[in-house]
Amino acid sequence: MAVASSSRRKRVAHSSDIEDGPTQKSAREDVDADDEIARSVVKKEKKSVKGKGRATETHQREDADEEDDEDDKIDAENFPDQPLDKSHAIPMKGLASDWEIMIRTIQRTNNMVSDVAVALADAVEGDEGQKDLLDLERSLKDLVDIENEMHTNHEVIQNLVQEVTSGTEIDNIIEQYQGNVRKSKKSYAIKTTRQKYAKNETYKYFKQSIYEIEHPGVAMPPVTEFMSKEPGDVSDDDDDLEMGAVTQDYKCPLTLRPLENPVTSEICGHSFSQDAIRGLFDGYRGAKKCPASGCTREFRLSDCKPNKELAKKLKLHTRRLKRKDQEQEVEEIIE
Ligand SMILES: [Zn+2]
């Protein structure tokens, strides 16, 4: 998706956002932050004008008197862009956090798209919903692209902030910013489908949920299996594949009952009921061997993080089971 300027780019995201109020506000803030940078650049320019005034002492008075007029006259024709330095770090950070807000917004949108898709797959059986699902998948991929571009902008600003706070003066901020964003977008554009989407949490959740609905009780193969290998994809036994391959049967390996408040080990991807894994560690802060059968990894309790996606899937799964039971009961009654 090629979009020229960052502000246009943001509007693209707005249009896909459902909550109008807060995002419009953040667009406003963004404009303000841009202005602020512009203003502080001008301020610097003023300073350098005053400096020159002092150098030619005879004109000092007049310079002071005319200062206001002169401010109006200052423009790019007479003064080259002034470098950004430490003093600009704060408005720059403001810009960076605007991108963060945008990223959170688009992530919410992506989650909504995938929730809609899952609900659709859940409601429509057979081939009926396939076309809609494909459309939704395409939209989700586009949104992942946009999300990536936002991350890029955020990162580029963050790096520039780091440079100025460490004392570097940046002369050609606009060229640098645009250049870095362009570079990063180029390297994203040549990524393979797997590299672009297989690691995106929302996309993974989307694929997994739909797979489950279509293949109840079957563990999903790694998400990369659904994307044909392209030149540039490394071998199949890539690290990336590991997590997708973990079988999810919604049972806690400790309680052997359905997961409750699932937490997932970031080391091996196995999930447990929160109380059960806490009980296993019982205050112990070191690493223990993963209790999932066949897993040889070790992790600490602090490596286990609440897994909202899994909790969501668990809920859907439970609902499906219930529905199946009800259908069976109905059949039995009919018989
Ligand atoms: Zn494990």
Side-chain angles (χ1 to χ4, degrees):
M1 182 163 305
V3 185
S5 74
S6 64
S7 60
R8 249 188 68 202
R9 159 76 156 95
K10 284 177 187 180
R11 239 170 279 137
V12 170
H14 282 310
S15 64
S16 59
D17 184 35
I18 288 178
E19 296 157 65
D20 236 343
T23 35
Q24 261 170 15
K25 188 173 150 263
S26 63
R28 204 3 19 102
E29 281 164 6
D30 180 51
V31 170
D32 289 344
D34 275 335
D35 281 355
E36 217 165 299
I37 284 210
R39 267 201 301 278
S40 53
V41 170
V42 170
K43 236 182 262 164
K44 251 190 104 84
E45 284 165 353
K46 279 186 218 162
K47 255 187 246 161
S48 76
V49 169
K50 275 182 238 161
K52 275 175 196 150
R54 239 165 272 130
T56 44
E57 275 182 28
T58 39
H59 294 301
Q60 200 178 356
R61 260 296 78 131
E62 288 163 49
D63 273 354
D65 290 338
E66 287 170 11
E67 203 178 11
D68 279 349
D69 289 347
E70 220 164 319
D71 281 352
D72 296 336
K73 282 184 221 152
I74 289 170
D75 59 22
E77 274 176 55
N78 300 314
F79 296 98
D81 287 346
Q82 298 298 304
L84 291 189
D85 60 28
K86 259 185 207 167
S87 63
H88 303 102
I90 288 173
M92 285 168 79
K93 276 183 196 160
L95 283 177
S97 67
D98 282 342
W99 280 112
E100 272 169 34
I101 294 169
M102 297 306 306
I103 290 168
R104 278 199 295 274
T105 305
I106 197 164
Q107 281 171 344
R108 270 206 307 274
T109 311
N110 294 0
N111 284 334
M112 271 184 304
V113 170
S114 84
D115 284 346
V116 167
V118 173
L120 180 77
D122 200 29
V124 183
E125 283 184 22
D127 296 337
E128 277 175 75
Q130 285 305 321
K131 204 201 145 280
D132 293 333
L133 277 183
L134 281 175
D135 284 346
L136 281 167
E137 178 162 0
R138 218 165 293 132
S139 309
L140 188 58
K141 279 180 171 172
D142 284 347
L143 287 164
V144 171
D145 292 340
I146 297 177
E147 183 186 334
N148 175 76
E149 207 173 316
M150 290 181 170
H151 278 295
T152 296
N153 278 281
H154 178 245
E155 242 173 65
V156 168
I157 294 184
Q158 290 278 57
N159 290 341
L160 291 170
V161 169
Q162 256 174 24
E163 271 187 58
V164 296
T165 30
S166 71
T168 316
E169 288 200 351
I170 305 178
D171 281 321
N172 49 348
I173 182 77
I174 296 176
E175 285 90 339
Q176 275 217 34
Y177 179 74
Q178 289 177 339
N180 291 350
V181 169
R182 218 177 298 131
K183 238 186 277 167
S184 181
K185 274 166 72 173
K186 256 190 202 160
S187 60
Y188 180 78
I190 58 168
K191 278 187 176 179
T192 66
T193 309
R194 286 183 180 184
Q195 289 164 346
K196 280 181 188 165
Y197 309 111
K199 273 192 183 171
N200 183 277
E201 287 305 323
T202 313
Y203 186 74
K204 271 202 309 210
Y205 165 75
F206 168 87
K207 288 305 261 184
Q208 281 167 357
S209 310
I210 289 175
Y211 188 89
E212 263 191 44
I213 293 167
E214 292 173 350
H215 311 83
V218 183
M220 186 179 104
V223 76
T224 44
E225 296 249 314
F226 300 98
M227 306 164 177
S228 46
K229 204 165 149 189
E230 296 165 31
D233 279 325
V234 258
S235 65
D236 279 329
D237 48 36
D238 198 333
D239 263 6
D240 306 355
L241 306 186
E242 212 177 290
M243 295 292 273
V246 169
T247 312
Q248 196 48 260
D249 62 358
Y250 299 109
K251 287 213 172 92
C252 172
L254 292 164
T255 63
L256 303 177
R257 295 172 37 80
L259 286 164
E260 277 172 59
N261 299 321
V263 296
T264 299
S265 150
E266 288 181 333
I267 307 292
C268 58
H270 284 117
S271 302
F272 312 92
S273 295
Q274 193 175 50
D275 287 346
I277 194 75
R278 277 193 185 151
L280 180 79
F281 278 88
D282 193 24
Y284 180 63
R285 283 164 178 265
K288 283 194 172 191
K289 191 185 154 298
C290 176
S293 75
C295 185
T296 54
R297 310 290 292 267
E298 287 189 358
F299 59 79
R300 296 161 201 270
L301 184 60
S302 57
D303 295 319
C304 292
K305 301 279 152 68
N307 190 334
K308 270 193 214 157
E309 302 273 88
L310 182 56
K312 221 158 47 168
K313 278 161 70 176
L314 193 67
K315 227 162 111 185
L316 277 171
H317 178 73
T318 322
R319 215 176 61 198
R320 271 198 301 277
L321 284 185
K322 235 185 231 162
R323 206 165 55 194
K324 230 183 228 163
D325 282 354
Q326 282 167 354
E327 280 166 11
Q328 247 161 24
E329 272 171 37
V330 171
E331 274 168 28
E332 279 162 19
I333 292 171
I334 292 172
E335 279 166 20

